[in-house]
Amino acid sequence: MRKLRLKRLLVVGVLVVSAAVATYSWTHAEETELIEYHKTIEQGDTLWGVVGKVATDKEDMAKLVWQVTKDNHIEDPANLQPGTELMIRVKAAREL
């Protein structure tokens, strides 16, 4: 009975320590330096296409396009106007 109680206490202790370490790591994670690009929309450009020219294959394109939409306050990504300048922030970029 006593051994079972000690095992339970040990498991609970390990869980508490694991949760504390995970929380510390999450809240103290190093911020990744982002590279900022500015691209001007041309006739026929799509948001996905413009972002794809800057992003590397390691980027999650869906998340990146969503972030560009949010950062640039784009309400209708299907209706980009030529001359609009987009700010695109990526962790790394292709050589342009």
Side-chain angles (χ1 to χ4, degrees):
M1 185 78 153
R2 185 173 173 97
K3 286 184 181 181
L4 181 60
R5 202 176 282 164
L6 284 175
K7 284 183 182 180
R8 285 182 183 165
L9 184 60
L10 181 61
V11 169
V12 169
V14 168
L15 290 174
V16 168
V17 170
S18 297
V21 168
T23 301
Y24 178 83
S25 297
W26 181 71
T27 57
H28 292 84
E30 292 182 29
E31 289 188 29
T32 303
E33 186 175 330
L34 298 176
I35 300 167
E36 187 173 298
Y37 287 88
H38 294 269
K39 294 290 180 186
T40 303
I41 298 296
E42 297 176 10
Q43 186 67 37
D45 280 346
T46 64
L47 189 58
W48 193 276
V50 172
V51 172
K53 290 178 185 174
V54 176
T56 65
D57 295 335
K58 296 178 182 178
E59 295 282 347
D60 181 339
M61 282 294 293
K63 287 183 182 179
L64 187 55
V65 168
W66 175 84
Q67 188 65 49
V68 170
T69 302
K70 181 179 170 188
D71 290 345
N72 291 279
H73 310 287
I74 298 172
E75 293 181 17
D76 184 5
N79 190 23
L80 296 177
Q81 298 301 310
T84 302
E85 187 172 305
L86 295 180
M87 176 189 58
I88 305 168
R89 296 179 302 153
V90 293
K91 295 177 190 171
R94 293 188 172 144
E95 293 296 321
L96 301 176

